[in-house]
């Protein structure tokens, strides 16, 4: 998690040229012991140093305050001006709202304006019915992510921000298997299409999704619905749910390494393209 030498050694072992580092879900500033400003600024400064010292091997997605839209906007503008970290990571749900409302909508709007990438990673929110068998992860994480995908599509976020570089992890969670249901409801119910004038099937091709599905059939369904230019190589490293042998997984799935690399560079932004060898 924090041993950069070990991270780079694992990259070499598994044939990974560049890895984007982002806050783990428990590191989002939802309940910091110190002030959110101090916490997020310290995190970003440390990650900036790690990325700067990596000779182009590591890219970075920082963190921002989740309690104050104006403060988050200021932090995003600062990160963009520093031109080291290429984006930010955020949770899919904050205080009962997702990407279409409140602070999260303000954050993605600011990120788009400042040309910063946004990675959405679930927080494994606890529910009483998910207390056993790791269900908070196995069910909760995919549901959180699908909620954010749906809110970005049906809430008009992707239409408002066509240049937003937005990536959902874990293959979009439940979203690929629910897309048909969303599209049907969008056609059938006026309340579903109040904020979006475009079919969910079309908008599903706008965001990026990573490959961490743990299942070839699930990845195949994602590839049917998402744009091929929007699928990037995910790992979930270094957690126990990680896809560790990335090269084998990619090759077995029939994914083109060159396409995944090009997609990752597009998501991470123009500055990284010249810094990292092909």
């Amino acid at each position: 998690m924090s041993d950069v030498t070990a991270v780079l050694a694992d990259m070499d072992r598994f044939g990974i040229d560049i890895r984007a580092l982002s806050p783990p879900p428990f590191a989002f500033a939802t309940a910091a012991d110190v002030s959110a400003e101090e916490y997020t600024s310290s995190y970003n400064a440390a990650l900036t140093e790690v990325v700067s010292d990596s000779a182009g091997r590591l890219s970075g997605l920082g963190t921002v305050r989740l309690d104050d839209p104006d403060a988050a906007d200021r932090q995003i503008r600062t990160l963009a001006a520093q031109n080291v970290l290429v984006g930010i990571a955020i949770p899919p749900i904050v205080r009962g709202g997702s990407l279409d409302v409140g602070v999260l909508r303000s954050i993605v709007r600011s990120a788009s304006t400042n040309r910063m990438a946004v990675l959405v990673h679930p927080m494994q929110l606890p529910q009483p019915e998910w207390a056993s068998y790791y269900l908070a992860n196995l069910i909760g994480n995919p549901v959180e992510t699908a909620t954010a995908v749906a809110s970005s599509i049906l809430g008009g976020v992707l239409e408002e921000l066509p240049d937003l570089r937005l990536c959902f992890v874990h293959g979009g969670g439940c979203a690929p298997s629910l897309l048909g249901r969303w599209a049907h409801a969008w056609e059938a119910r006026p309340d579903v299409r109040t904020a979006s004038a475009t079919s969910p099937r079309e908008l599903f091709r706008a965001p990026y999704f990573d490959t961490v599905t743990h299942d070839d059939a699930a990845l195949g369904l994602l590839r049917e619905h998402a744009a091929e230019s929007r699928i990037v190589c995910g790992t979930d490293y270094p957690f126990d749910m990680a896809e560790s042998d990335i090269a084998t997984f990619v090759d077995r799935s029939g994914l083109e390494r060159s396409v995944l690399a090009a997609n990752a560079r597009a998501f991470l932004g123009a500055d990284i393209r010249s810094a990292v060898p092909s």
Side-chain angles (χ1 to χ4, degrees), residues 212-234:
V212 182
T213 59
H214 306 287
D215 183 78
D216 291 342
L219 182 58
L221 181 61
L222 174 65
R223 295 175 69 183
E224 284 185 26
H225 291 316
E228 197 75 8
S229 62
R230 291 293 193 266
I231 296 177
V232 297
C233 189

Side-chain angles (χ1 to χ4, degrees), residues 22 119-122 145 166-173 176 207-214 218-219 222-223 226 230-237 241 243 246 249 255 260 263 267:
S22 63
L119 182 76
V120 181
H121 195 292
T145 298
L166 180 67
C167 181
F168 297 101
V169 300
H170 307 153
Y208 290 84
F209 299 92
D210 83 5
T211 56
V212 182
T213 59
H214 306 287
L219 182 58
L222 174 65
R223 295 175 69 183
R230 291 293 193 266
I231 296 177
V232 297
C233 189
T235 66
D236 233 358
Y237 175 92
M241 292 300 291
E243 187 71 62
I246 295 299
F249 175 76
L255 295 163
L260 289 175
N263 295 349
F267 170 66

Side-chain angles (χ1 to χ4, degrees), residues 83-164:
N83 201 31
V84 178
L85 303 185
V86 298
I88 58 171
I90 60 173
I93 299 168
V94 171
R95 290 181 290 280
S98 193
L99 304 191
D100 57 325
V101 294
V103 66
L104 290 180
R105 183 150 192 165
S106 177
I107 286 172
V108 296
R109 185 182 293 120
S110 176
S112 179
T113 299
N114 291 280
R115 304 182 67 179
M116 299 287 279
V118 179
L119 182 76
V120 181
H121 195 292
M123 291 185 63
Q124 202 166 304
L125 298 176
Q127 295 283 357
E129 62 271 29
W130 297 338
S132 303
Y133 318 117
Y134 206 37
L135 294 185
N137 180 295
L138 303 185
I139 296 176
N141 276 7
V143 169
E144 286 184 53
T145 298
T147 300
V149 178
S151 71
S152 69
I153 291 174
L154 300 175
V157 176
L158 299 176
E159 290 166 289
E160 178 197 350
L161 307 171
D163 296 326
L164 175 64

